[in-house]
């Protein structure tokens, strides 16, 4: 798979270079590749390095934000609902203004903040706390009414 080749190349580059914006970008992409492979533990290990080693401001801010959102997504894919809520809350607290990223799931760029609220709502539904899920869905549909995530959020409660 392409992910395997990409991981090999990125690991090689990382072993030969010191910290910089480029290395931060490579580490973030490496974490994303591990997520795509379903290697959630390695995904989180590399992305926690990004979060720990780089400032959450300036030119590094998008990378640290993206890393935090991918960590939350890794727990969601494992159906570790409490950890999904915890890790997405870290994003919400650290990046309350949101960060835009291209999305594979949705046709346009998404606001990762909306996505973190979505993951929390989905997690609360899975845990049987529909009241909290509905509160989060209201936040999403009020703050991002025309976003595709808002449409998806209104469907999670009804599909379970």
């Amino acid at each position: 798979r392409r992910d395997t080749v990409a991981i090999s190349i990125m690991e090689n580059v990382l072993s030969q270079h010191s910290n910089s914006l480029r290395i931060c970008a490579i580490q973030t992409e490496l974490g994303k590749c591990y997520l795509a492979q379903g290697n959630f533990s390695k995904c989180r290990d590399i992305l926690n390095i990004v979060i720990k080693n780089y400032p959450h401001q300036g030119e590094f801010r998008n990378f640290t934000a993206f890393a935090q959102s991918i960590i939350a997504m890794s727990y969601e894919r494992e159906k570790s609902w409490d950890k999904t809520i915890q890790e997405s809350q870290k994003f919400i607290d650290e990046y309350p203004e949101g960060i835009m990223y291209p999305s594979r799931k949705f046709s346009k760029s998404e606001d990762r903040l909306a996505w973190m609220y979505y993951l929390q709502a989905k997690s609360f539904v899975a845990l049987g706390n529909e009241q909290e899920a509905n509160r989060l869905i209201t936040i999403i549909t009020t703050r991002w009414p025309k976003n595709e995530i808002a449409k998806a959020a209104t469907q999670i409660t009804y599909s379970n």
Side-chain angles (χ1 to χ4, degrees), residues 125 130 134 137 151 153-160:
V125 167
E130 200 158 326
N134 286 333
I137 291 167
K151 181 180 176 185
T154 60
Q155 296 171 358
I156 57 175
T157 300
Y158 306 125
S159 66
N160 291 316

Side-chain angles (χ1 to χ4, degrees), residues 128-139:
N129 187 341
E130 200 158 326
Q131 182 177 356
E132 184 61 15
N134 286 333
R135 184 187 73 78
L136 294 163
I137 291 167
T138 300
I139 290 170

Side-chain angles (χ1 to χ4, degrees), residues 21-38:
L21 183 60
R22 216 173 263 163
I23 297 302
C24 179
I26 291 170
Q27 288 172 317
T28 304
E29 284 299 312
L30 183 58
K32 196 166 97 175
C33 287
Y34 284 133
L35 178 74
Q37 282 190 334

Side-chain angles (χ1 to χ4, degrees), residues 37-105:
Q37 282 190 334
N39 192 337
F40 305 124
S41 179
K42 268 196 147 174
C43 166
R44 290 188 291 264
D45 288 347
I46 195 78
L47 294 175
N48 276 317
I49 290 170
V50 170
I51 291 167
K52 180 182 175 200
N53 290 346
Y54 299 100
H56 298 198
Q57 58 196 18
E59 61 188 358
F60 294 99
R61 186 168 179 78
N62 281 352
F63 294 111
T64 57
F66 189 68
Q68 185 61 53
S69 71
I70 295 296
I71 289 170
M73 290 170 63
S74 75
Y75 284 113
E76 184 261 344
R77 291 198 184 164
E78 287 181 325
K79 299 183 191 286
S80 297
W81 306 119
D82 288 330
K83 291 295 282 181
T84 302
I85 293 165
Q86 177 186 357
E87 294 300 325
S88 57
Q89 189 62 47
K90 287 180 185 178
F91 182 99
I92 292 165
D93 293 343
E94 183 73 29
Y95 309 99
E97 73 288 352
I99 303 285
M100 297 300 286
Y101 281 98
S103 171
R104 290 184 186 174
K105 182 174 176 92

